[in-house]
Amino acid sequence: MKIPYYPGCTLKTTADYFETSAIASAKALGIEMVELPDWNCCGVVGSLTSDDLIRHLAPVRNMLRVEEMNARGDIENENRLLTLCSMCYNTLQRTNARIKQSSEDLESINNIMYLEEEPYKGTTEVVHFFQLLEEMGFDELAKKIVKPLKGLKIAPYYGCMLLRPEELGIDKPDDPTIMENFVESLGADAVQWNARSICCGSYHTVSNKEIVVKLAYEILHNARKCGADLLITSCPLCAFNLDNRQEEVEAQYLDFEPIPVLYFSQLLALALGLGVEATAFDKNYIDPRPILKKKGLLK
Amino acid sequence: MTGNVKKIKLTDRSVEFLRQVEEISGEEITVCEQCGTCSGGCPFVEEMDITPSQIMRKVMIGQEDVLQSRTMWICASCFTCTIRCPRKLDVSKVAEALRQIELRLAIDEIDLNDISENELEKLPTIAIVGAYRKLTG
Amino acid sequence: MKIGVYLCQCGGNISNTVDIDAVQAHIDGREGIFSIKQNSHMCSGAGQKLITDDIAELGLDRVVIASCSPQFHEKTFREALSKAGMNPYLLEIANFREHCSWAHKDKPEDATRKAIDLIDAAIAKAEHDFALEEKKMQLGNDVLVIGAGIAGIQASLDLADSGKNVTLVEKMPTIGGNMTILTKTFPTEDCAACILSPKMAEVQGHPNVDLIVDGEIESIKGHRLHFEAVVKHKPRYISPEINMDDCIGCALCEEACPVEAPNYWEQGVTKRKAIYIPAPHAIPYKYIIDKEICLHDGNGCTACLDVCPQKAMVFDQKPERTEIAVDAVVVATGYDIFDAREKPVFGYGEFENVVNGLEMERIVDHITEKHPPRDVGKRVAFVQCVGSRDEQIGREYCSRVCCMYSVKLASLLKQAKPETDIYIFYTDLRAFGKGFEEYYKRAQKMGIKFIRGKPAKLTEIPDTKQVTVLVEDTLSRQIIESEFDLVVLATGMTANKSTEKIAEYLKLAKSDDGFLKEAHPKYRPVDTLVEGVFLAGTVQGPKDIPDTVAQGSAAAARVIGALAKKEFAIDPMLAFVHIDLCNKCGKCFDVCPVNAITQTENGKAFVKQTLCLGCGACISSCPLEAIDLNGYSNVQLYSEVNAALTSKEPDERRLLIFGDSSCAYRVADAAGVRKMKYATDNRMLMVPSSCRVTPNLIAYAFAKGADAVLLGDCPEKGNRFDWAHEFTKKNIAAVKEILANAGIEDERVFFEDFTAGQLAKFVDTMNFLSDKMLKNKAIDEETRQKLNPLEG
């Protein structure tokens, strides 16, 4: 199947290995991720005020592109837009919900976008990669796994944007199971831990680093305490805060033991038997290869 | 008055400030029953000077010095309060409204010049974009 | 026929606008009309005497009164007829005031024309009136009480003491309900079992109470002081012939049984065997086998039978069924406790040391024992408002008792174990009842600490299993993140699942909070809108024991009042079958929403008038118009429609309205009372419900000159006949087809709901439809002829 794919800024820069591992895994599963032509910034961080309509323009433009792809025949009958980055997912979804609720807002935005060829009709649906896997069926996914990650204890880190608020989330915010199901379909063990949806500190990493360091310590320490070998995430900001910031965490907390943080697609690629270009383990700040080798999952 | 305890008045201006915040946030702030669930669950509460529920209370009685507090800048819009409030109020939207009141006066909260070269190289695009969107006017 | 017509001037209220003399001239000399009289106030003593005298002296056999709306004086006038020895149902009223003189004060000529049409319709209807007898239903002394918790027990005792025959059905193996699970009660701290047991014993021994335990209401139907139910007796697998007087109480069976399960009456805090007695104070005090864990069927285990000296076990006992018929029902099926697994943030069901309110009742009850089944540790927290006051899970209501039961559990625990450090985390502390505030203060004096904040999250510490509570103390504005040995979730009351079926069968409404709805929240708190069904206790909403007992007695009093008359007169405007017309096609047998239509031995349809509610929904199901409705018969409605439209000029337009008596007719009255002006080209006829109006009748209306037809009824929610809208929509769909086939394309048939207070909506609708009729093409005579169902 072919599906329009929205990368977002960071997947083209510092988090490029998220994209490459995801695209390669998708391909192995028979999904062709067709990059959205002429896409722009998703509009993160989405506006939470009721009077800031202009901030919804950027997301709507992206969703318009999906309609254009369909109209041109570049994609057939696929009105869904696939995202990988949790923040892009949440921002686009929020705008989508607002547009669907208010035809007046949609009209206003279309008026502002008058230079576009066609107005946005409101038909695009935003989905996250996990939802695509859930639709395929985690049992089906398990059948396609070439190298089950047996014995690997994975702490799925949801973060905020995949689950909250409830109307936009991909699963129930207080009791989600989608990532655990994903982990199990890879043949690994999903760890039950307490910090799986506690915020990583988000953009405070720019000017208020200490907050992120403290939260990262709490999250990673809890993952370790609950027996995890590594964490998986779906957000480049979370990945940075939990992976790259471990340098600062280690400096500040004496009892801290580094723990790898991976994009979920990297492990998916490994389980599907794809090569080093897809798994890209050399890009992670904390190297996951030692623990993977220890578990016999890497040579 | 040498102590810290203040006496305050409830005026038309108090009402107007409340109305302004309610309009921008789209939330009915007078519905808040001050249960404190938002504060309890907030991952950032220890970095704040006043708690999220205290923000709601100060806005309700029209105390404009709430705009001087650090709390709304510490809020990261993680929506934990949003899913917990028993009255289904969205405290993150109230924090956003308070930030916007300041930012729309062209008072930015962060400056690119304050970030080191080293950091700028490391930081993912989304962090910089996100911080700028959130913390500048 | 000798019709007496009376034209009321209403002190000028009618006669100042409607030209009464012109009306009189219009009907004078018509065949059947024997006398026409005018009077300034027909409703006065003098006016009524006029009628009664005329009936005696002139030998009138029908009376038509042109006056105010029937809703005001129909009863009075009917009584006048009765006093004169005439059947009260030989009366028709034309609404000259609310629908004519007041509504069209500014257009006297139009008001007069409308009045003329309405009196023509009333006369046409009167010509087809015939004497109706109010059927007298015998009321007996039999009452069914569903649920033998404290509410049901109290109601049963009061009913039984007053001489009623009570069938008390309880689904559990013992009576007493949830109160048997409680320890001591607030604010007096008397033990629940001690105050409940005497009542339980009394109800078991009462000569007027037939107590059925293990009994489920499999089906129940009825809706007006007559109910039939099927009770399923679930097997206990213990011989019913052996009672405890013969049993030597050896309990050897219990000792011998090899399997155990959590004990429901201990909320799982302790266990019991597969053969067990539910609780020490159970009534009946009799063993029961839990077949779900019993090993007999699977493994052939007979451990209990082997040791029983009475050989009392009957492993293959089957359920039995009994049918009962009663005159009134009290629904007292109680509450369920909120399942705290719906709030995963609190870890209930996952964390060892998180329990709910009922579990804590049992823990506290055992806490003074030498080796209590469950200890509480050093530091205990109570979390209030779990499962209530929470819009995130769709439960906005307050559960009323949890504040006080937490205070009680804390107080009992503190007295038993003074070294325990107890905190109650609340948002509001509701101590509203008698002695409650004082009790709360005594708890505070004991050193129980009340902290105002709702915990955001509980987490379990993996090695110690202690529970960390994360909460803001809103009064000191500090965040508390601290460990406790035990956390009690003060779970609220929620609507009982097993009540669902009963509510469905009896057509009982639910309030927004999921509990059963009382007829009126202020002055009918234990009645329901179903005549003869009453509510008592927590089935109607969360409440404590005193309020529950009060409602039990209240429901009993209401039943006694309802049955006191011994005889219940049913309004005779009910359905009946023209036996000569019925061809046994059976199309009406299943259509009645209250199952009032049956088939007799000769195959023809028959209406059980004790069940019929007179809505008229069945009328349109009969292709031969053999099923009919007293007071709104087919011939009457056709005659009224014909009469109301006869005076129409070819260039005029007419909107014919069928208004239901509860809402649409009333809102038109209300608009008249307020002198609201609206279009004059409409004529309203009363029907019991919009579903009375058949497709044929609507087609007939168009045939006779209507340009639009409006059906009015109450909104679907809260409608006296909650099926009305469904039937009406079907009828309208059918007639729209007929119109389309005749070439009438534009919209001409309308269905609107009104509450009696929606005056503006009514007025707007009248004006809107008046305009619409002008916009639509006029219907030509030929087309109209094609639509007449009475010809060809």
Side-chain angles (χ1 to χ4, degrees), chain B residues 33-37 39-41 45 51 53-54 57 82-88, chain C residues 343 345 389-392 427-428 452-457 470-472 474 477 479:
Chain B
E33 59 180 8
Q34 289 288 297
C35 71
T37 304
S39 309
V45 75
T51 66
S53 63
Q54 210 166 349
R57 179 39 47 101
T82 311
I83 59 161
R84 296 265 168 82
C85 175
R87 290 236 163 145
K88 282 204 138 166
Chain C
K343 292 289 289 183
V345 279
R389 297 186 73 189
D390 190 343
E391 288 180 48
Q392 293 287 348
T427 305
D428 290 290
R452 192 187 178 281
K454 185 164 182 181
K457 194 170 168 173
L470 182 58
V471 61
E472 179 188 23
T474 60
R477 292 296 183 198
I479 306 291

Side-chain angles (χ1 to χ4, degrees), chain C residues 531-587:
Chain C
E531 201 156 2
V533 178
F534 303 90
L535 305 174
T538 52
V539 70
Q540 181 259 350
K543 54 178 66 71
D544 58 9
I545 295 167
D547 287 348
T548 302
V549 171
Q551 280 204 341
S553 293
R558 297 295 293 160
V559 169
I560 292 167
L563 300 182
K565 284 172 286 196
K566 299 294 166 206
E567 221 179 43
F568 178 70
I570 308 178
D571 175 350
M573 314 285 216
L574 305 171
F576 67 97
V577 178
H578 295 282
I579 309 206
D580 44 326
L581 295 177
C582 175
N583 73 347
K584 313 183 200 176
C585 73
K587 288 208 173 76

Side-chain angles (χ1 to χ4, degrees), chain B residues 13 17-18 21-22 28 30 33 35 55 61 75 86 92 99-100 108 112 119 122 131:
Chain B
R13 177 63 207 156
F17 180 63
L18 169 62
V21 178
E22 282 190 331
E28 292 166 317
T30 44
E33 59 180 8
C35 71
I55 298 262
I61 54 177
C75 165
S92 69
R99 286 190 292 264
Q100 283 295 308
D108 290 346
L112 195 59
E119 280 288 297
K122 275 202 300 185

Side-chain angles (χ1 to χ4, degrees), chain A residues 210-265:
Chain A
E210 322 72 52
I211 299 181
V212 169
V213 172
K214 175 187 156 209
L215 285 167
Y217 170 72
E218 268 178 42
I219 293 168
L220 299 166
H221 188 70
N222 183 259
R224 266 256 181 256
K225 224 169 137 203
C226 294
D229 295 318
L230 48 78
L231 284 78
I232 53 169
T233 177
S234 176
C235 172
L237 192 46
C238 298
F240 180 81
N241 284 348
L242 295 179
D243 193 12
N244 304 60
R245 287 285 183 223
Q246 287 195 38
E247 185 186 349
E248 282 95 335
V249 176
E250 211 175 353
Q252 197 174 325
Y253 295 89
L254 301 171
D255 65 342
F256 178 67
E257 215 190 304
I259 178 171
V261 176
L262 275 64
Y263 288 110
F264 71 87
S265 48

Side-chain angles (χ1 to χ4, degrees), chain C residues 33 63 90 105 112 146 266 312 395 434 462 470 519 567 617 696 703 784:
Chain C
I33 296 188
V63 171
L90 297 169
K105 227 167 150 33
T112 305
I146 309 177
E266 291 281 4
R395 289 168 196 277
K434 191 163 180 174
L470 182 58
E567 221 179 43
N696 275 352
R784 288 193 190 277

Side-chain angles (χ1 to χ4, degrees), chain B residues 47-90:
Chain B
E47 327 302 325
M48 297 172 173
D49 50 349
I50 59 176
T51 66
S53 63
Q54 210 166 349
I55 298 262
M56 295 294 277
R57 179 39 47 101
K58 283 174 90 78
V59 170
M60 193 194 90
I61 54 177
Q63 282 195 292
E64 286 182 69
D65 65 1
V66 74
L67 294 168
Q68 263 62 65
S69 132
R70 298 297 309 147
T71 298
M72 69 238 203
W73 302 112
I74 304 290
C75 165
S77 304
C78 77
F79 305 128
T80 306
C81 52
T82 311
I83 59 161
R84 296 265 168 82
C85 175
R87 290 236 163 145
K88 282 204 138 166
L89 289 167
D90 194 338

